[in-house]
């Protein structure tokens, strides 16, 4: 495989995949490179459902290998919310700032020790003529009382990573690419990649 399409228009995600596949000599393209890409409705109940739906729909329409991810935040005190609705938590328009403010409001009365959470990433790989293969990666942490840090995107400024003593948004790209939910899913994918292609 020389080239793979990542089913996203999020430039931040594309960079993370690019860093992974560059080591394998595989060129990464994305929906940013596709004229009028299909708009896949992500109405699955789980991250895996949405990732498979996206990978298969786009892979079949273009006839090429596609990797789709669905990822988000699960907060234990909110019974796993925002979950699959992470990107549109505060409304149908994807707005990081509004989502973060809503999350802070929902957790206003929750003490620090009960604000445990995890980022989840489900990756679905579609290879023409094959069933989708799915891996899941997580990154454990907790939701802070206020936003901190300038890096990353989404809920990164609210997500504290205890083992590093930093917010996700305070990590360099290299640090994040070591420990993030997407990084952990990609590590799993790496360990299964050769058997997947054979």
């Amino acid at each position: 495989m020389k080239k793979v399409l990542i089913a996203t228009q999020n430039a931040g995600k594309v960079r993370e995949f690019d860093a992974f596949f560059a080591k394998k000599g595989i060129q990464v393209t994305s929906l940013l490179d596709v004229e009028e890409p299909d708009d896949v409705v992500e109405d699955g109940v789980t991250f895996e459902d949405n990732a498979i739906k996206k990978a298969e729909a786009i892979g079949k329409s273009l006839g090429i290998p596609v990797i789709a991810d669905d990822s988000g935040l699960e907060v234990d005190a909110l019974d796993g919310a925002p979950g699959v609705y992470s990107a549109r938590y505060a409304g149908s328009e994807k707005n990081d700032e509004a989502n973060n403010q809503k999350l802070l409001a929902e957790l206003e009365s929750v003490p620090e020790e009960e604000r445990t959470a995890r980022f989840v990433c489900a990756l679905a790989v579609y290879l023409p003529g094959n069933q989708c293969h799915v891996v899941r990666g997580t990154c454990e942490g907790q939701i802070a009382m206020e936003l901190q840090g300038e890096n990353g995107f989404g809920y990164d400024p609210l997500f504290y990573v205890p083992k590093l003593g930093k917010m996700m948004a305070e990590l360099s790209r290299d640090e994040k690419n070591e420990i993030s939910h997407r990084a952990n899913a990609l590590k799993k994918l790496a360990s299964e990649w050769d058997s997947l292609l054979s």
Side-chain angles (χ1 to χ4, degrees):
M1 189 192 295
K2 297 276 192 290
K3 191 188 275 192
V4 65
L5 183 129
I6 310 302
T8 185
Q9 296 189 43
N10 180 321
K13 280 187 188 179
V14 176
R15 281 193 295 273
E16 288 177 28
F17 281 104
D18 200 33
F20 171 80
F21 280 108
K23 295 172 192 162
K24 298 189 172 299
I26 295 170
Q27 184 192 345
V28 165
T29 62
S30 75
L31 294 180
L32 295 168
D33 306 304
V34 177
E35 276 185 45
E36 298 181 29
D38 292 346
D39 194 19
V40 181
V41 180
E42 295 175 49
D43 54 4
V45 180
T46 66
F47 295 116
E48 284 82 357
D49 290 343
N50 285 333
I52 290 169
K53 189 173 180 187
K54 260 192 294 194
E56 285 187 342
I58 293 164
K60 285 175 181 172
S61 86
L62 297 174
I64 58 171
V66 170
I67 295 181
D69 91 309
D70 193 37
S71 49
L73 181 69
E74 293 179 343
V75 181
D76 295 322
L78 301 177
D79 296 324
V84 292
Y85 304 106
S86 293
R88 298 179 176 84
Y89 192 39
S92 58
E93 292 298 314
K94 295 179 181 180
N95 184 314
D96 289 350
E97 193 178 336
N99 288 339
N100 282 320
Q101 292 307 325
K102 179 175 180 180
L103 184 60
L104 283 174
E106 297 276 345
L107 292 173
E108 200 171 2
S109 59
V110 179
E112 206 167 303
E113 64 276 10
E114 290 174 27
R115 295 165 80 102
T116 52
R118 73 206 45 81
F119 277 126
V120 177
C121 173
L123 281 184
V125 183
Y126 172 81
L127 301 173
N130 291 292
Q131 287 283 328
C132 260
H133 180 76
V134 188
V135 293
R136 169 183 271 238
T138 60
C139 177
E140 298 289 329
Q142 58 195 105
I143 305 304
M145 298 292 188
E146 59 184 19
L147 294 118
Q148 293 173 59
E150 302 296 321
N151 302 333
F153 56 92
Y155 296 95
D156 288 358
L158 279 180
F159 192 85
Y160 178 71
V161 185
K163 69 178 182 181
L164 295 180
K166 289 182 182 179
M167 305 295 286
M168 191 72 97
E170 293 176 317
L171 303 181
S172 69
R173 189 185 300 168
D174 286 346
E175 286 176 312
K176 184 179 177 181
N177 284 344
E178 276 302 306
I179 61 100
S180 77
H181 50 311
R182 196 165 293 108
N184 288 328
L186 282 167
K187 283 172 192 167
K188 271 192 196 166
L189 183 59
S191 69
E192 299 170 17
W193 187 253
D194 291 339
S195 62
L196 198 62
L197 291 186
S198 63

